[in-house]
Amino acid sequence: MTGFDAFAHARALLTGLGDQEPPGGGVRLYEPAGEGAQQSADEALLAGVWSALARPGALATNFRLVESGRQVDRSRWMRSRVGDGEVLHTTLVPAYLHSAVERGATLVISHLEALDERVMLWCEALEYLLRARAWVNCYITAGETSAFDVHSDDHDALILQLLGRKHWEVDTRVGARAGDLAPGSLDRVLAPGMCLSVPRDTAHRVSGTGELTVHLTVGYEPFADVREEARAAHELVGHTAPDPDPEWLAARLALRPDRRAGASLRSVLTGEVGAATRIRWASRYPPYVTVDGDRLTVTTMGRRIRLDRRLERTVALLARGGVLTFGELAADSDLPDSDVRALVAFGARHDFLICEG
């Protein structure tokens, strides 16, 4: 997979929404200034959608078909069987899906990041930048009606329009769970490349425009459990919980065990790390790095790893969270290739680096 910088695309979206931190204010809309890299990245994500639909063996629970507000029984549009070794094999029934979507049904793909690498890397980038657990759902429709009437979600969301146009009505009162939308609510048709931020518990309604349309919804929970932990601790001693210090949050998140998908088995078992080997940090959240004398302490996934301070720049490059080939890492590092190779091998064996390819 080449030509798709997931981090650059994710950063552009968040910057366009006016937030380097998790969007926590009201509804925000981002309209890209032009084409170029933004359009290419959107096309890569759309290719990920089509790839997920063509992938054999995807879990049945990753797909839902909703028509007139009700889920269509999977036996109509999906075939499943249990093969040797009790492996579940599933395939979609294209003919039924085509006609259902054309007459106004919505096909929902949940956790798209589990089905395509491009979407997975993009989701990982957003998690790193938002410092939040995130997941990606996809919605495909071709009708004018709404499969879901006015509703609100219990998580924050970023919406990225990939194909066609979709009509969004969003209550501008944050936390408004009303059954209808207030006068003056945001009322826009999203075109490809546009991004919308919808805070949790905000009422909204989505409908098609009569054309084939695809959008991604990134659900995320910024600091949710960490903030709750801090609040509970203060309540135990009878104090009101202040907003957590960003430094404390960063250190606390680094203690979370949450790990990205991927494995380094080939590198660990064979010892091979080539120029094209792709390397990324294994934690879903940025590591917390401190320096003491000639030692570097890296806290990640609940572990503290002590390294020589000479590795500081190389660790910083990896800790950005994106994908680097070994060749790129060695070129940007200030260490001999042999030392970089030793760090990568150590990181793969101790599972704080993922090495693939």
Side-chain angles (χ1 to χ4, degrees):
M1 187 192 70
T2 59
F4 176 45
D5 189 335
F7 254 83
H9 187 258
R11 189 176 292 109
L13 290 181
L14 296 183
T15 302
L17 290 166
D19 286 289
Q20 295 295 344
E21 294 298 318
V27 177
R28 290 179 172 85
L29 181 66
Y30 167 49
E31 301 186 53
E35 299 183 354
Q38 168 81 28
Q39 184 178 27
S40 297
D42 288 353
E43 289 172 352
L45 292 173
L46 185 58
V49 174
W50 304 137
S51 173
L53 284 171
R55 178 184 176 187
L59 292 175
T61 51
N62 282 108
F63 296 90
R64 286 185 295 148
L65 186 64
V66 182
E67 189 170 8
S68 302
R70 296 183 178 180
Q71 290 197 45
V72 180
D73 191 282
R74 286 193 178 91
S75 63
R76 297 186 181 183
W77 53 274
M78 180 177 281
R79 298 286 179 264
S80 300
R81 67 178 181 83
V82 178
D84 293 340
E86 299 185 356
V87 175
L88 179 64
H89 300 271
T90 61
T91 55
L92 303 179
V93 180
Y96 189 96
L97 284 175
H98 295 165
S99 60
V101 170
E102 286 175 351
R103 66 175 178 258
T106 296
L107 178 61
V108 183
I109 310 175
S110 300
H111 289 284
L112 183 64
E113 75 280 2
L115 304 178
D116 182 80
E117 187 182 23
R118 286 156 290 205
V119 181
M120 178 192 74
L121 294 176
W122 184 63
C123 183
E124 288 182 354
L126 285 167
E127 286 189 325
Y128 241 62
L129 294 168
L130 293 168
R131 287 176 168 78
R133 186 175 67 87
W135 58 96
V136 182
N137 294 343
C138 176
Y139 298 81
I140 302 173
T141 191
E144 295 181 350
T145 58
S146 173
F148 310 95
D149 203 358
V150 177
H151 67 283
S152 60
D153 299 308
D154 60 359
H155 54 77
D156 296 289
L158 297 175
I159 288 82
L160 177 62
Q161 188 69 25
L162 294 181
L163 179 69
R165 298 172 303 147
K166 191 157 285 183
H167 184 199
W168 282 78
E169 298 170 87
V170 185
D171 202 315
T172 51
R173 301 169 299 169
V174 175
R177 296 189 179 188
D180 205 354
L181 303 174
S185 294
L186 180 139
D187 189 334
R188 290 293 299 273
V189 173
L190 300 191
M194 296 177 70
C195 183
L196 178 67
S197 173
V198 180
R200 68 181 63 201
D201 298 331
T202 300
H204 57 278
R205 175 166 49 215
V206 190
S207 53
T209 57
E211 59 185 307
L212 180 63
T213 173
V214 178
H215 82 263
L216 303 183
T217 293
V218 183
Y220 66 97
E221 297 174 336
F223 302 132
D225 49 358
V226 178
R227 290 183 186 278
E228 188 60 37
E229 178 184 304
R231 188 177 298 111
H234 279 80
E235 288 177 354
L236 279 175
V237 294
H239 296 300
T240 302
D243 286 337
D245 176 78
E247 186 81 2
W248 181 87
L249 279 172
R252 192 67 189 84
L253 279 174
L255 292 173
R256 291 292 307 271
D258 304 58
R259 186 188 186 281
R260 292 172 165 179
S264 306
L265 282 176
R266 177 182 174 184
S267 295
V268 172
L269 294 176
T270 67
E272 295 177 1
V273 177
T277 299
R278 296 182 302 127
I279 306 161
R280 56 199 169 101
W281 204 266
S283 174
R284 294 176 73 170
Y285 305 110
Y288 184 69
V289 182
T290 57
V291 178
D292 183 14
D294 61 352
R295 306 300 292 174
L296 199 66
T297 300
V298 181
T299 303
T300 185
M301 295 187 294
R303 294 176 290 155
R304 289 187 174 87
I305 303 158
R306 289 179 172 80
L307 302 169
D308 192 298
R309 186 174 179 177
R310 294 184 305 112
L311 299 170
E312 184 174 4
R313 174 172 170 76
T314 310
V315 168
L317 291 169
L318 291 164
R320 292 175 183 173
V323 179
L324 289 171
T325 65
F326 179 81
E328 292 168 337
L329 180 64
D332 290 341
S333 177
D334 55 359
L335 294 173
D337 285 9
S338 58
D339 289 351
V340 178
R341 193 178 300 277
L343 172 63
V344 170
F346 178 80
R349 183 166 293 278
H350 290 273
D351 201 33
F352 64 86
L353 295 180
I354 296 173
C355 302
E356 296 170 319

